[in-house]
Amino acid sequence: MSPTNIIEELRWRGLIHQCTDENNLREHLSQSRVVYAGFDPTAPSLHCGSLLPLMMLRRFQHAGHKPLALVGGATGMIGDPSGKSEERVLLDTDVLAANVAGMAAQMQRFLDFDGPNAAKLVNNFDWMQGWSYIHFLRDVGKNFPVNVMLAKDSVKSRLEREDSGLSYTEFSYMLLQAYDFAHLSQKEKCTLQIGGSDQWGNITAGIDLARRMHGTQLFALTCPLLLTSDGRKMGKTEKGAIWLDGTRTSPYAFYQYWYNTADADVLLCLRFLTEIDQDEYRSLEKSLAEEPGARNAQKRLASWLTEFIHGSEGLQSALRASEYLFGAEISDLRDAQLLEIFNDVPSGTITRAELEQGFPLIDALVRVGLCKSKSDARRSMDQGGVYVNNRRVESAEMLLTPADLASESALVLRVGRRRNAVLRVEG
RNA sequence: GGGAGGUUGCCCGAGUGGUUAAAGGGGACGGACUGUAAAUCCGUUGCUUCGGCUACGCAGGUUCGAAUCCUGCACCUCCCA
């Protein structure tokens, strides 16, 4: 990709929500520039919410620009009020430092930290920790008209709510993010900040600040937020975030999440989160319209992202697990295979002696955590929702015996379509 | 400080002495259908050694019998000062 067509690339993908004057920006980007996006270190791993901005930086890097990934070691201590309905819980310094380290490692997958336009990781704690309050008010605060700050959507919406206020601390967040941009423009020659559309106010505050402090002209570009068709954040389930760290969200679970993307959302995800080219995109779009049951778009999305995040090995294991979990009867496996395939499902153990006497399936379901009580287990059985090694159980009184083992010392229990657990035999 | 009302199962919410393990709704879960989707339909949603046992803020009391009546305590909401 050449430096000149990044705008076109973003345009067809629908990734431009708002930007400072497009013609100027296009002209500006005709040379290699320094681009930054900020990330909130609220957890020791990145989650799917960061996929979009990271891919954005990656696209810019491929187009010949130098990406700066800013982790908010300082701003994370404050909390951005944009899009939040409540005052945020403050994180302490040690936790933040650990989170920053975890995120930095994961960014290697997205950005090339070597080479001519190497990416760079910066932490605003490094330049903010030394500030004194007086110093900050004189040099930065002086440049912010409060009436302008009050007019920002992120602030206004919070002030209009009756059930929650906005603390001075959160109100000041904008100044910190604005200062980051101004600082990076001086220290790193950064001229463009990108972010989600909810960041527009904060980004433009930085542009204003840099003009006042240094007389420089900076640029902004925001992407649409990645929302599902029913308005929720993509990359989150009722049970929590989908993480990029394989120990938090296994490659299998990660693959399944994307595989199950709704038809209405899958095209958006393909454009926003992957690097498949326009021709392939068109053919997937066509496939989705003509043979939705084949779910080629979902498959491509899931495999592209899984391979990108977890490597081809991660993808292979996710595919293998998917095949077994939704496939035929499980039998004649080796322990190692079985445990690898089912590595992220809950498990429990029984003794060899218990199995040899015949262990009630009801008790096994409770032991592995698939059912919360024996009554619950019995109900699931009565409803025909219990499977041993993918084969439906007919009798509620079934006893498990060594004949039910799917490998040397393990068998697979399932309730419903997809809640699996492994029962292992000890000794 | 004075007065009024409230506290029911995962959530909301009926229920004012006797089939009330507690209406109804939401959510969740299981099944059918399907495309591991959505929608729809059906079912389930305290525990159990299936004899029972424990549940309606907490602790006592009245009664053959209480979520329902009485007393005390805790918490919440509203009104007055």
Side-chain angles (χ1 to χ4, degrees), chain A residues 16-292:
Chain A
I16 300 177
H17 178 261
Q18 253 178 312
C19 63
T20 47
D21 183 74
E22 186 174 331
N23 290 331
N24 283 344
L25 181 60
R26 195 185 297 268
E27 166 61 26
H28 182 69
L29 289 174
S30 64
Q31 297 176 40
S32 177
R33 302 292 183 180
V34 179
V35 182
Y36 115 80
F39 298 87
D40 229 10
T42 46
S45 166
L46 293 165
H47 54 76
C48 287
S50 300
L51 279 176
L52 177 55
L54 280 169
M55 288 306 294
M56 284 294 285
L57 284 181
R58 182 179 164 89
R59 294 182 212 284
F60 272 94
Q61 185 168 40
H62 283 184
H65 303 285
K66 176 185 167 76
L68 292 178
L70 178 145
V71 291
T75 39
M77 298 175 77
I78 303 304
D80 180 5
S82 305
K84 306 282 192 313
S85 53
E86 287 175 6
E87 179 89 16
R88 159 140 128 208
V89 180
L90 301 181
L91 298 167
D92 68 49
T93 323
D94 293 349
V95 173
L96 281 166
N99 291 354
V100 168
M103 291 166 62
Q106 290 172 338
M107 287 183 183
Q108 309 277 339
R109 289 214 173 265
F110 294 83
L111 304 173
D112 185 355
F113 286 85
D114 296 304
N117 54 341
K120 186 169 175 182
L121 185 73
V122 292
N123 183 345
N124 59 16
F125 187 75
D126 294 340
W127 59 84
M128 295 237 186
Q129 62 175 327
W131 283 85
S132 77
Y133 189 57
I134 297 294
H135 185 188
F136 189 77
L137 288 179
R138 284 183 57 104
D139 290 3
V140 180
K142 186 99 173 65
N143 294 301
F144 280 85
V146 169
N147 52 340
V148 173
M149 292 173 71
L150 289 172
K152 302 270 181 188
D153 283 344
S154 58
V155 172
K156 214 163 51 177
S157 63
R158 274 289 282 279
L159 292 178
E160 281 164 4
R161 290 176 68 99
E162 290 187 354
D163 54 344
S164 68
L166 178 68
S167 71
Y168 175 72
T169 303
E170 280 194 286
F171 181 58
S172 311
Y173 181 89
M174 187 189 298
L175 276 69
L176 298 182
Q177 185 168 335
Y179 181 76
D180 284 341
F181 197 7
H183 173 85
L184 290 173
S185 75
Q186 292 301 104
K187 285 283 188 276
E188 304 287 347
K189 298 189 164 38
C190 174
T191 51
L192 172 64
Q193 182 178 174
I194 59 181
S197 58
D198 56 343
Q199 293 300 310
W200 182 255
N202 290 338
I203 297 174
T204 53
I207 293 178
D208 287 342
L209 179 64
R211 189 174 47 242
R212 287 164 200 251
M213 287 179 79
H214 313 298
T216 52
Q217 176 61 55
L218 303 180
F219 301 84
L221 187 150
T222 59
C223 317
L225 296 176
L226 184 54
L227 298 174
T228 61
S229 48
D230 45 358
R232 289 174 313 199
K233 273 189 185 167
M234 198 77 215
K236 278 213 161 109
T237 65
E238 308 73 46
K239 290 178 182 112
I242 302 293
W243 302 96
L244 303 193
D245 178 349
T247 62
R248 288 175 167 244
T249 298
S250 70
Y252 164 73
F254 184 86
Y255 179 87
Q256 285 293 321
Y257 176 80
W258 297 107
Y259 187 89
N260 281 312
T261 304
D263 291 4
D265 301 323
V266 68
L267 292 173
L268 192 68
C269 291
L270 280 167
R271 279 184 280 122
F272 280 22
L273 303 178
T274 76
E275 287 176 338
I276 64 170
D277 63 33
Q278 203 162 355
D279 289 343
E280 184 177 4
Y281 174 77
R282 295 294 167 214
S283 79
L284 289 170
E285 185 178 40
K286 187 163 171 246
S287 169
L288 180 71
E290 288 171 3
E291 37 166 6

